[in-house]
Amino acid sequence: MDNEKTINEIKSTVIAFSDWLDLNSDGYLMIITKGEDSMLAAKGKHNQMVNALASGMMEDDRIKAVILDAVKIVMAKTFKDRLMGKQL
């Protein structure tokens, strides 16, 4: 199975799962990766997602590491954008 076909199958699965979650939950945050590709599916209020992530961080070191790495990337991009004079 080639990588593009695999990615398309994953996207179809995520869309189907998102549709199910839309009907059966108040919110969700999914992070999906395959090789160099990644996607994010989210629904819900900002504070609900933050609370869920914070609760997960208290119980799972992997989630804590992912969030800390993501914050580093966002901070680096924000700093670069400021240096280049982009409006934030």
Side-chain angles (χ1 to χ4, degrees), residues 28-44:
Y28 54 85
L29 175 64
M30 291 187 288
I31 302 166
I32 301 94
T33 63
K34 175 66 177 169
E36 297 296 315
D37 295 314
S38 62
M39 65 187 100
L40 175 78
K43 174 195 168 197

Side-chain angles (χ1 to χ4, degrees), residues 71-82:
V71 169
K72 291 176 197 172
I73 292 167
V74 169
M75 289 177 68
K77 182 174 182 339
T78 301
F79 180 70
K80 177 184 160 221
D81 289 348
R82 284 190 178 154

Side-chain angles (χ1 to χ4, degrees), residues 30-65:
M30 291 187 288
I31 302 166
I32 301 94
T33 63
K34 175 66 177 169
E36 297 296 315
D37 295 314
S38 62
M39 65 187 100
L40 175 78
K43 174 195 168 197
K45 295 179 182 172
H46 176 262
N47 62 332
Q48 290 172 323
M49 285 189 244
V50 169
N51 288 338
L53 286 169
S55 297
M57 283 176 62
M58 290 187 282
E59 297 177 17
D60 192 327
D61 287 338
R62 294 171 301 171
I63 294 173
K64 189 184 304 182

Side-chain angles (χ1 to χ4, degrees), residues 16-29:
F17 191 45
S18 296
D19 290 343
W20 184 86
L21 286 170
D22 284 341
L23 295 172
N24 295 289
S25 68
D26 292 331
Y28 54 85
L29 175 64

